[in-house]
Amino acid sequence: MSLRITQKSLTLTTSKNLQVNLSEMQRLQDQLSSGKLISKPSDSPTGTVSALKLRADLRRGEQLERNANDSIAWLSAADSTMFEGLSVFSRVRNLALQGMNASSGPEAREALAVEIEGLREHMIGVANTKHLGRPLFGGTTGTDQAFDPNGTYIGDDGAIERTVMDGLTVQVNVTGEQVFGTNGSNVFDVLTDIVDSLRNDPSALNANLEALDERAVAFRSAHAQVGARYNQVEAMRERTESARLNSKNALAEVESIDLPATIMELKLQEVAYQAALSATARVIQPSLLDFLR
């Protein structure tokens, strides 16, 4: 059985095919203008799923990097502040040794005591250093200071923690008691005892120096912990940055077009479209008689 092809059916079929060619050209032009292979989920369902997962990984990596930067800021502030405190320990020890010298008279020891009192006030200022408006060594306290003017710790033992890697949390603070000691035997109590001994009982300076050295060892230990945490966070930040770079590259592979290939495909599509137009113009040449049939 033969099928009768009318002028109308030929025209509709040809027009439909030309529209398909135009749609394909538009798709390729959209890809070139945006640089993206996927503009809607239907373009590539599997690619869309991969892109969504990679974007989620990127957002998580960005948050981890912000946490790491905040952690490094806390630890850097503690590190530099504790360096300042170490110089106070060294100076006080030298002054106490001078006071133990038998040739030191009452006036000389009084001058030494006055200087150590000044160093004690300076150390209280170091202990009350703030970071982002919070006492650096005050734990999670809501007070403005970690130590009162008498050198008594008024903070708490709360830990400030940051997640710097999936499943890894780092404490970014050290408390005043960890650094300066507990009330009754902290650095400020030891400095007060040294001042009293210089003025009233130089023979007690030897025991005072032992207590000072004990506090200095604990201070350096806390300082070392800060340094170790800093190095740990820095290493985690580098790993996060590397993972983010890998995710960005993978996302580009999924979403971005191959520019040379897309340009070539568009050129081929344009040639095909022009050829189709030319062939259609030769095949379909309707006349008034065709419309009257």
Side-chain angles (χ1 to χ4, degrees):
M1 183 178 64
S2 62
L3 181 64
R4 180 172 180 268
I5 301 176
T6 65
Q7 187 73 26
K8 180 178 180 181
S9 63
L10 182 61
T11 302
L12 290 175
T13 301
T14 304
S15 177
K16 178 182 177 182
N17 291 335
L18 289 174
Q19 286 297 323
V20 171
N21 288 343
L22 283 173
S23 297
E24 184 64 15
M25 287 177 61
Q26 182 181 11
R27 181 184 69 82
L28 293 170
Q29 288 171 346
D30 288 343
Q31 289 181 357
L32 282 173
S33 61
S34 65
K36 298 295 184 182
L37 190 62
I38 302 174
S39 59
K40 54 185 181 295
S42 59
D43 289 340
S44 174
T46 56
T48 300
V49 172
S50 298
L52 289 173
K53 183 179 182 303
L54 289 168
R55 288 186 181 279
D57 291 342
L58 283 172
R59 288 193 296 271
R60 183 167 61 253
E62 289 169 359
Q63 182 60 58
L64 291 174
E65 192 170 346
R66 285 193 293 269
N67 291 348
N69 289 334
D70 183 58
S71 302
I72 287 175
W74 273 92
L75 294 168
S76 295
D79 180 64
S80 60
T81 302
M82 293 174 77
F83 260 122
E84 188 176 352
L86 286 173
S87 64
V88 175
F89 275 104
S90 178
R91 180 58 180 165
V92 169
R93 196 176 197 285
N94 289 334
L95 293 174
L97 287 173
Q98 293 179 34
M100 292 173 63
N101 193 324
S103 61
S104 297
E107 292 183 358
R109 288 196 298 272
E110 176 62 23
L112 295 173
V114 169
E115 184 173 350
I116 292 176
E117 283 180 331
L119 290 171
R120 183 180 182 277
E121 292 301 316
H122 176 67
M123 186 68 101
I124 291 177
V126 169
N128 282 325
T129 299
K130 292 184 179 181
H131 177 66
L132 300 177
R134 298 173 59 180
L136 189 60
F137 302 108
T140 56
T141 182
T143 61
D144 291 336
Q145 295 181 325
F147 291 84
D148 67 14
N150 296 320
T152 301
Y153 185 61
I154 55 177
D156 57 35
D157 60 354
I160 300 174
E161 298 179 332
R162 296 289 184 270
T163 300
V164 295
M165 185 64 67
D166 289 338
L168 177 61
T169 300
V170 176
Q171 182 176 343
V172 300
N173 73 315
V174 282
T175 66
E177 290 185 332
Q178 291 173 321
V179 177
F180 300 96
T182 57
N183 292 333
S185 60
N186 63 24
V187 172
F188 311 109
D189 296 320
V190 172
L191 295 180
T192 298
D193 291 342
I194 292 175
V195 170
D196 290 341
S197 296
L198 283 170
R199 286 172 173 162
N200 304 313
D201 187 10
S203 62
L205 285 172
N206 191 42
N208 296 150
L209 276 179
E210 291 180 1
L212 181 67
D213 290 341
E214 199 174 299
R215 291 284 6 120
V217 168
F219 193 95
R220 291 189 182 94
S221 176
H223 193 197
Q225 289 181 19
V226 169
R229 292 175 191 170
Y230 182 98
N231 292 334
Q232 182 184 21
V233 173
E234 183 67 29
M236 293 301 101
R237 183 172 68 171
E238 291 178 359
R239 286 183 58 185
T240 299
E241 289 177 349
S242 177
R244 283 186 61 208
L245 181 60
N246 291 336
S247 295
K248 284 183 177 180
N249 292 336
L251 184 61
E253 290 291 332
V254 172
E255 287 189 334
S256 300
I257 62 172
D258 183 343
L259 187 59
T262 305
I263 292 174
M264 182 63 68
E265 188 177 355
L266 179 60
K267 291 296 183 183
L268 291 174
Q269 195 65 38
E270 288 175 348
V271 170
Y273 180 65
Q274 293 297 330
L277 284 176
S278 178
T280 301
R282 288 196 300 271
V283 172
I284 302 177
Q285 296 180 352
S287 64
L288 180 59
L289 182 61
D290 295 321
F291 286 104
L292 293 176
R293 287 176 183 176

